[in-house]
Amino acid sequence: MGASLSAAVVFFVAGILFWGGFNTVMEATNSMKFCSTACHEMTWVYEEYKDRPHYQNPTGVGATCSDCHVPDDWGPKMIRKIEASREVWHWMLGTINTKEKFEDKRLHLAENVWRSMLRTDSRECRNCHDWSAMDLEEQAPRAAREHARAFEQGQTCIECHQGIAHELPEDWDESEVWLARFEHDEPETDLAERGEPEMPLEAEELGEAVVAEGDIASTLDWDDIPALDMTLFLPGQASIEWIQDGSEHGGGRAFSFGDRCVWCHAGEEAQIGEMAVNAEKIETFDLGDKRGHIPMTAQASFDDDYLFMRFQWEAGEHAPLPFVDGGRMDPDNPMKLTVSFADDRVDMADRGGCWASCHHDSTYMPDAPEDEALAESELAERLELMNGVTKYLSESRSEIEIRGRRGAARGGWDKLKEEAEIAELLSGGVYLDIARYNSGNELTESGYILEQRHLSESEAVVITAMEEDGVWTAYLTRALRTGVEGDKPLSTDGKYSFNVALHDDYAASRFHHVSWQYGLAFDAEIPGDFDDDMVEINATRISR
C-alpha cells in the first residue's frame, strides 16, 4: 500500500503484540483465580463449587468457571464478554456485595443462566461433553437410559442437571423456567406405547372359592429351581408422591415416562438403606442400629392349581428402635413377611409395585394427619382410622397432592371416592393383592389394598416360615384362583408385578424392608412372550 518494508514489519509486530495482549487479558478473565478472588461476590459460589464433582472427581478432570459460563467459539465468546460489562456495572454499584444480597437474588441469577443454556442447547456443557462421544454401554444403567431418552427427545443437559455446580435456590422448582417440565403431561396417544394401564370396566372373574391343601411348597424339591438374588432395603419416608416429584426425586420424570424403579436403582439398595438409617435422606426418625438392607433369595414354581415360592434370608441381631418404649414396635411378632401381586390395572404398579400404595400422609409419614383431624373426619365411618391412615391406592381418591405446593399436605387420605366407585374399582380388579405371615402366631392373612388395607385369615393362601442356624426360610402356597374377592386371579399366560416386604426385628407400620417391583411370569419364553427387561422371576412348571 506504499508503506516501506520496515513500516510493514512494525505494523505486523504491533498487531501481534496487540493480539497477544488482548488474548492474554481474555484468558486472564477466564481463569478460576480471577473469578474467585477478583470478584468478591463469587467467593460464596466458589466455596459451593469446591464440594461439587466438577471441581474434584476420581478422573481428575475438572471444570473452571469459564468452561461452564463462557463459550469456546470466538464470536459467542466476545458477545458473552460484552454482556459481562453489565456485571461490572453492578459490581461497582454493589448490587450483590453481601451474601444476604446474593441469596436474595440467587433465583434470578440462576434463571438467567438456565434460560441462556436452554436457548443455546447447553452450549457450555458441550465444551467438554458431547452426545456423539458418549458410550452409553459403559455408563451406569440409569444414566444410559436417561441419556438415550434425552437424545431421542431433543432434551438438553440443563433440563436434568440443575444444581450440578452450585446450590439450588430455595423454591427453584417453582420457577417459571421449570414449571412446565415438572408438570409434564404426555399426550393420551402415547399411553398405549408406554404400557400404562387403562381402567377396566368389566368385572374381574374370580372363579369358585378354593381351600388350599396346606403347606405344599415346603415339601417340594427346590434344588433345580432358579433363584432371584434381591436386596430388601429401608424405604424411609419416600412416598409415591415423593417418587413423582421431579424437584426432589431426580427420577420423577423417568417414572412418568414408564420407567421401572428397578431399572435405575438396582444395585443401590445398600446405599439407600444406609441413607435411611443415618437419616441422611428420606428419613427423619432415629433408627438406631437397625439394618439398612437385607439380602434375600426368591424362587418360584407352579402347577395347574398353585403358585409356590420360597424365600431365604439371614436373621439379624436385635437392634431396638430408639423412639419406641422397649425398642419393639410389634413385640408379638419377631418377623412378618408380606408378598404382593398386581397387574397393570393398578396405575404405577407396573413401575413401583406396592409403592403405589405408600403415601405421604400415611402413619409415621411427614404429612400424617393429627389424631384430632382423624377423629373428627366424616370418613371415620368408612375407614379404619384408629391407628392412623393405612396404605391406599391413588385410584381410590378423587385428588392426590403430589408436590405439596404452598404448604398443602401431600397425599389425599381425605379425598375418598364414593362407595359405589370403590366397589366398581374392586370388582374391576383395581387393587393390590397382599398376603402376610405373622411369625408370632404362625398365622397367614390375605387381602388387598384399595381405599385402605384389608386383611383377614386365609384358607387359600398358606405361608410358613422357620429360622434355623441363623437363616429364615419361608414358603408360600397360593391357589392361582382363590375365588376370594381381593385375591388377584393369576393366569399362567400373564405377567404380574411382585413385591416383598419384611418387617424384621419386631418392626411394624412402615418400618419394614422392601424389594423393588419385579416382573413375575409363568414358564414364559423370554424374550418372546415378554421383553427380557420386564420379567425377573419366571416361575418353573413342576409336576407333583
Side-chain angles (χ1 to χ4, degrees):
M1 300 296 293
S4 66
L5 179 61
S6 59
V9 170
V10 170
F11 281 121
F12 180 72
V13 172
I16 292 176
L17 292 175
F18 173 79
W19 178 253
F22 179 79
N23 191 61
T24 299
V25 172
M26 288 295 100
E27 291 305 312
T29 59
N30 280 348
S31 69
M32 182 79 78
K33 182 178 181 181
F34 176 85
C35 294
S36 60
T37 60
C39 301
H40 178 68
E41 292 81 353
M42 292 298 102
T43 57
W44 307 305
V45 291
Y46 175 65
E47 290 303 315
E48 299 169 4
Y49 165 74
K50 290 197 295 185
D51 293 329
R52 305 289 166 146
H54 277 93
Y55 179 78
Q56 190 173 33
N57 53 66
T59 66
V61 179
T64 62
C65 304
S66 60
D67 288 327
C68 297
H69 293 288
V70 180
D72 257 358
D73 294 337
W74 192 84
K77 179 187 293 187
M78 293 304 101
I79 294 174
R80 178 68 187 95
K81 292 297 182 180
I82 294 172
E83 291 175 341
S85 62
R86 293 180 303 175
E87 297 165 18
V88 176
W89 173 247
H90 283 287
W91 173 77
M92 294 171 61
L93 292 176
T95 303
I96 52 173
N97 61 355
T98 67
K99 191 171 184 180
E100 290 74 20
K101 291 180 181 179
F102 178 83
E103 290 297 336
D104 288 341
K105 289 189 174 292
R106 184 186 280 267
L107 178 59
H108 171 71
L109 297 170
E111 286 180 327
N112 289 341
V113 176
W114 294 335
R115 289 191 179 99
S116 173
M117 298 187 79
L118 288 171
R119 185 175 62 252
T120 63
D121 190 20
S122 301
R123 177 180 55 204
E124 283 66 59
C125 294
R126 304 184 199 286
N127 286 348
C128 299
H129 305 280
D130 191 272
W131 286 120
S132 61
M134 286 188 182
D135 187 349
L136 300 186
E137 293 184 358
E138 292 297 320
Q139 293 183 354
R142 184 196 319 181
R145 186 176 298 277
E146 289 308 299
H147 284 150
R149 176 181 289 120
F151 180 75
E152 293 171 359
Q153 297 181 353
Q155 286 182 268
T156 190
C157 312
I158 194 61
E159 290 188 68
C160 293
H161 294 289
Q162 311 96 334
I164 196 169
H166 305 297
E167 290 181 7
L168 284 167
E170 186 177 356
D171 297 329
W172 69 275
D173 52 309
E174 299 279 356
S175 166
E176 293 182 0
V177 178
W178 304 120
L179 280 180
R181 178 180 184 271
F182 293 128
E183 292 177 353
H184 173 72
D185 187 16
E186 297 174 62
E188 292 185 3
T189 53
D190 290 344
L191 293 181
E193 296 179 8
R194 287 165 47 201
E196 287 200 359
E198 296 182 1
M199 183 65 67
L201 300 179
E202 72 283 357
E204 193 171 54
E205 297 182 5
L206 300 177
E208 297 182 2
V210 174
V211 176
E213 299 177 19
D215 175 21
I216 305 172
S218 66
T219 67
L220 303 178
D221 182 1
W222 292 93
D223 291 344
D224 296 327
I225 305 298
L228 170 69
D229 293 322
M230 54 187 184
T231 302
L232 276 56
F233 60 95
L234 292 173
Q237 295 174 320
S239 66
I240 192 63
E241 288 82 20
W242 180 88
I243 287 174
Q244 297 176 84
D245 185 354
S247 64
E248 292 197 18
H249 172 226
R253 191 167 188 269
F255 189 81
S256 75
F257 275 107
D259 282 13
R260 302 166 64 201
C261 300
V262 69
W263 284 348
C264 287
H265 295 295
E268 299 178 358
E269 297 88 351
Q271 179 184 357
I272 295 171
E274 188 69 15
M275 285 193 300
V277 169
N278 294 334
E280 180 182 340
K281 190 177 181 180
I282 66 174
E283 183 58 86
T284 57
F285 281 78
D286 181 2
L287 302 183
D289 296 323
K290 188 175 179 68
R291 290 192 287 181
H293 69 283
I294 301 176
M296 176 183 283
T297 60
Q299 298 166 276
S301 61
F302 72 102
D303 60 18
D304 291 336
D305 301 311
Y306 291 98
L307 167 67
F308 310 107
M309 302 195 77
R310 181 173 79 159
F311 307 93
Q312 290 186 305
W313 67 97
E314 288 189 7
E317 298 292 333
H318 176 52
L321 289 173
F323 62 89
V324 178
D325 289 340
R328 299 178 176 182
M329 298 186 74
D330 185 0
D332 295 331
N333 288 290
M335 178 274 293
K336 297 192 293 286
L337 178 70
T338 304
V339 293
S340 171
F341 302 95
D343 55 26
D344 289 349
R345 302 181 192 197
V346 177
D347 186 25
M348 298 184 288
D350 59 338
R351 290 159 279 168
C354 63
W355 224 307
S357 66
C358 300
H359 291 273
H360 222 65
D361 52 8
S362 298
T363 305
Y364 287 106
M365 295 294 275
D367 288 331
E370 299 290 339
D371 291 343
E372 183 178 355
L374 295 175
E376 295 176 354
S377 173
E378 297 178 355
L379 298 178
E381 297 180 1
R382 295 178 55 193
L383 299 175
E384 296 180 9
L385 301 174
M386 291 284 292
N387 298 314
V389 178
T390 70
K391 295 183 177 182
Y392 61 89
L393 295 184
S394 298
E395 285 91 333
S396 68
R397 266 53 178 184
S398 59
E399 182 182 349
I400 296 289
E401 174 64 35
I402 299 296
R403 299 185 57 216
R405 290 183 179 177
R406 292 173 290 278
R410 300 192 196 187
W413 76 271
D414 57 344
K415 305 295 190 299
L416 184 63
K417 290 182 177 179
E418 297 298 327
E419 291 187 59
E421 296 177 277
I422 300 297
E424 182 180 6
L425 290 170
L426 179 59
S427 66
V430 184
Y431 57 87
L432 286 175
D433 173 326
I434 57 173
R436 185 174 72 184
Y437 173 76
N438 303 288
S439 62
N441 56 11
E442 299 183 348
L443 175 69
T444 301
E445 298 173 289
S446 181
Y448 65 94
I449 297 173
L450 178 52
E451 84 286 10
Q452 63 182 346
R453 184 179 59 209
H454 299 265
L455 279 173
S456 60
E457 191 170 351
S458 174
E459 294 184 337
V461 182
V462 176
I463 302 177
T464 62
M466 62 179 297
E467 180 187 356
E468 185 176 358
D469 297 330
V471 175
W472 278 99
T473 301
Y475 296 95
L476 166 72
T477 302
R478 183 198 190 278
L480 295 176
R481 302 179 71 88
T482 69
V484 177
E485 191 172 54
D487 286 348
K488 178 64 59 178
L490 302 179
S491 168
T492 55
D493 294 329
K495 177 181 69 68
Y496 300 90
S497 292
F498 166 76
N499 292 79
V500 179
L502 178 65
H503 283 89
D504 179 56
D505 192 14
Y506 304 95
S509 188
R510 68 164 180 82
F511 298 94
H512 53 14
H513 295 80
V514 300
S515 74
W516 300 121
Q517 173 266 347
Y518 292 111
L520 169 69
F522 296 84
D523 202 21
E525 183 178 343
I526 301 173
D529 297 332
F530 305 104
D531 293 338
D532 56 3
D533 63 349
M534 297 299 293
V535 174
E536 287 76 28
I537 305 177
N538 196 9
T540 302
R541 177 175 282 279
I542 62 171
S543 58
R544 294 189 285 125

